[in-house]
Amino acid sequence: MPTPDPLALDFVKFSVDAGVLRFGEFKTKAGRMSPYFFNAGLFNDGAKLGRLAQFYAKRLVDSGLAFDMLFGPAYKGITLAAAVAIELARLGRNVPYAYNRKEAKDHGEGGTLVGAPVAGRVLIIDDVISAGTSVRESITMIRAAGATPCGVAIALDRQEKATENGNDVPYSAVQWVRSQLGLEVCAIATLTDLLQYLQTTADPALGTHFASVAAYRDRYGV
């Protein structure tokens, strides 16, 4: 195991306590049976969302990633971008944010983009990267507005093989975004951090899930 990352381990504990990170048997979009499930939609009250934004902001500040504004892909990314913008402002870094509509508006200001003008170096805020579809769509919109996508911030990197046409490939969706789209990906925590948490937790019930998660990593991990 690598050197523990205190921020990541705190985030894993927070996610477990909030019921966002659960253990059992869950079917993924790729059809795999996963021993854990991360549902960022369950950060669904003010306290949880505010704490989540603190983790994003701290990770971004520590990363040194240069960006001029935030972009939240519809739908989960909208709330995330707004919350992270608030937290960054609280820390003294006031940056604008924007998001997209799923369907273009044909009245009022019209268009698909809402919020601040999309300009400069734009950081995409999302919960996870499963297939990279949301990231590709965001890049298209950002570039169409004349701006430059500079990176993606996510809550959890599952560090597992992506699938193409129903087949496993030897790289993850995050690795694909980095290598093929040329964007930096900044994650609050990874599957490695989750395993460290399960291995070191004082909760014996949680510790029992280490073996199944480790076996999943052995089979599908990158």
Side-chain angles (χ1 to χ4, degrees):
M1 286 288 183
T3 303
D5 179 340
L7 183 70
L9 294 180
D10 284 349
F11 177 69
V12 173
K13 182 180 186 305
F14 164 61
S15 299
V16 171
D17 291 345
V20 171
L21 181 55
R22 300 179 180 183
F23 301 95
E25 284 194 353
F26 307 93
K27 191 170 185 178
T28 70
K29 287 182 180 179
R32 300 168 183 160
M33 293 307 298
S34 173
Y36 73 97
F37 180 59
F38 180 82
N39 181 4
L42 295 177
F43 290 117
N44 54 12
D45 64 34
K48 291 174 189 171
L49 182 61
R51 186 79 178 103
L52 174 62
Q54 289 176 349
F55 280 108
Y56 271 103
K58 181 70 163 59
R59 179 62 81 209
L60 286 172
V61 169
D62 291 348
S63 75
L65 183 62
F67 59 92
D68 300 312
M69 69 175 297
L70 307 178
F71 181 83
Y75 289 101
K76 284 183 182 176
I78 297 174
T79 301
L80 295 174
V84 175
I86 292 169
E87 179 60 20
L88 285 171
R90 194 186 68 82
L91 295 175
R93 177 84 196 279
N94 187 28
V95 296
Y97 78 96
Y99 57 91
N100 69 294
R101 296 185 178 94
K102 285 285 189 180
E103 297 179 0
K105 186 177 178 183
D106 60 4
H107 60 281
E109 74 278 17
T112 59
L113 299 180
V114 186
V118 177
R121 297 165 299 185
V122 183
L123 177 67
I124 300 163
I125 305 281
D126 216 339
D127 56 346
V128 295
I129 298 176
S130 298
T133 305
S134 175
V135 175
R136 287 195 299 270
E137 291 174 350
S138 297
I139 288 174
T140 299
M141 288 183 281
I142 290 166
R143 287 180 174 161
T148 304
C150 66
V152 187
I154 57 174
L156 181 69
D157 178 359
R158 288 181 61 99
Q159 295 181 308
E160 67 180 72
K161 295 174 183 175
T163 58
E164 291 182 3
N165 300 317
N167 298 313
D168 293 346
V169 291
Y171 49 82
S172 71
V174 167
Q175 289 174 328
W176 185 87
V177 167
R178 285 177 172 143
S179 64
Q180 299 302 310
L181 301 182
L183 297 186
E184 182 53 57
V185 179
C186 182
I188 302 172
T190 66
L191 178 55
T192 299
D193 298 313
L194 170 54
L195 282 167
Q196 280 195 326
Y197 175 77
L198 293 176
Q199 193 173 42
T200 58
T201 181
D203 184 336
L206 278 176
T208 61
H209 298 292
F210 174 82
S212 59
V213 177
Y216 186 83
R217 173 76 190 262
D218 288 343
R219 181 172 182 181
Y220 297 113
V222 294

